[in-house]
Amino acid sequence: MRHSILLVCILFCISAHSQTDTLSLVSDVDTIFIPKLTGETFTDLKKFNGNQYINEDWVEGNILLSSGEMIYKTKIKYNGLLDELIWINSSSLRKIKQDKQQIKEFWYKNIQNESIHFKKISINNPANNQSEIFAEVAVEGKVSFYIQRKITKVGEENRYRDDKLYTFDVLGPKSLYYIKLPTNNYVAMTRIRRNSFLKLFPTERKSIVKMLNKNHLNFKTESSVAKIIELMNAEIF
């Protein structure tokens, strides 16, 4: 009898251990879905002529969550029309629109193999309401420079399909620039000009003009604006 009880106990332990291993394996397989990322299934919007994404191909990126956790090497696209980050599940190929509140920053490399960094910033929109957008980080410091890579409707185009006439929206890129001042206020600009930029810094204006002349700098390109702000942070602020 004593041997029978011992045998039953051994069989029970083996069975319990086997079940534990099985549950652990299922959990490991399930992590392919990256459970830390949440969102909803996304279907690309139709009836457009043009690309609604900033990066045309799926790229490998890293995502910093609001919780402080980092998701590495996941396939993403940034939708500039909707201002949303789209992730594709590598196993099911489902497209997922990420929960915007969950994401703080993300990075990927462009076709020139340059690292592109996007960050969620809070701004005041024309209706004087606070809103959150994803913007490319150009410079961060006492004075910061961000670029919103928007995709907008720039026109319409009529096309025939199956002898029926359809109207398509024509999409195109349109960048919007944000200067974050030392007061932590954001100033939005569709184009950065010398005079409008200098008006943002009335106290430091003379020092900035001197710096611009000394280094032969202008505001013709995004990279030149970034260089100006980097020097301002290093020499003036």
Side-chain angles (χ1 to χ4, degrees):
M1 181 67 178
R2 195 175 291 174
H3 290 295
S4 299
I5 293 173
L6 181 60
L7 180 60
V8 169
C9 289
I10 291 172
L11 291 172
F12 176 81
C13 291
I14 291 173
S15 174
H17 181 70
S18 175
Q19 289 177 10
T20 303
D21 284 348
T22 303
L23 290 173
S24 177
L25 285 171
V26 170
S27 176
D28 289 342
V29 171
D30 210 31
T31 59
I32 293 175
F33 185 72
I34 312 180
K36 294 177 183 177
L37 292 174
T38 60
E40 59 186 51
T41 301
F42 178 76
T43 302
D44 286 328
L45 302 175
K46 305 297 183 182
K47 296 188 71 174
F48 288 127
N49 180 11
N51 193 1
Q52 59 189 293
Y53 293 97
I54 298 300
N55 48 306
E56 188 169 351
D57 298 319
W58 293 101
V59 292
E60 194 173 79
N62 301 327
I63 303 173
L64 176 63
L65 304 181
S66 300
S67 63
E69 296 174 288
M70 184 73 88
I71 306 295
Y72 293 100
K73 295 184 177 181
T74 187
K75 295 292 185 180
I76 58 174
K77 274 187 179 184
Y78 172 63
N79 189 308
L81 181 66
L82 302 177
D83 188 34
E84 297 285 358
L85 184 64
I86 312 298
W87 167 67
I88 190 167
N89 185 309
S90 58
S91 55
S92 68
L93 299 182
R94 279 199 306 150
K95 297 176 184 178
I96 309 295
K97 183 176 74 173
Q98 296 306 303
D99 180 0
K100 200 168 188 176
Q101 295 301 314
Q102 187 191 26
I103 299 171
K104 187 176 181 181
E105 304 175 51
F106 61 91
W107 295 257
Y108 67 87
K109 289 192 175 182
N110 62 16
I111 56 175
Q112 287 83 30
N113 205 35
E114 300 167 327
S115 182
I116 307 297
H117 176 198
F118 276 76
K119 186 175 187 177
K120 188 171 64 181
I121 62 174
S122 296
I123 59 166
N124 286 320
N125 59 32
N128 204 28
N129 297 319
Q130 200 77 6
S131 62
E132 293 184 324
I133 64 168
F134 288 125
E136 184 179 336
V137 179
V139 178
E140 286 192 306
K142 284 285 188 178
V143 180
S144 298
F145 179 33
Y146 301 97
I147 307 168
Q148 186 181 11
R149 301 296 187 187
K150 299 180 70 175
I151 301 291
T152 61
K153 177 182 173 181
V154 295
E156 292 183 348
E157 182 179 276
N158 294 324
R159 289 186 186 178
Y160 281 96
R161 282 189 180 177
D162 301 325
D163 296 325
K164 291 183 180 180
L165 183 64
Y166 296 92
T167 300
F168 291 82
D169 290 336
V170 179
L171 302 180
K174 182 180 179 181
S175 296
L176 186 60
Y177 304 106
Y178 290 92
I179 307 293
K180 186 179 180 183
L181 304 175
T183 58
N184 289 328
N185 293 323
Y186 288 91
V187 177
M189 297 181 174
T190 55
R191 184 178 176 184
I192 301 178
R193 294 181 173 88
R194 179 185 172 107
N195 288 338
S196 58
F197 183 83
L198 291 173
K199 285 180 181 178
L200 300 177
F201 309 96
T203 307
E204 297 82 14
R205 183 186 179 102
K206 288 185 178 179
S207 299
I208 296 172
V209 170
K210 184 178 179 181
M211 183 198 76
L212 293 174
N213 294 336
K214 175 185 173 183
N215 294 280
H216 308 289
L217 297 172
N218 57 55
F219 292 82
K220 291 183 178 180
T221 63
E222 293 174 355
S223 59
S224 62
V225 175
K227 179 64 176 177
I228 289 167
I229 294 176
E230 285 176 349
L231 283 173
M232 287 170 56
N233 285 329
E235 298 179 6
I236 298 174
F237 290 96

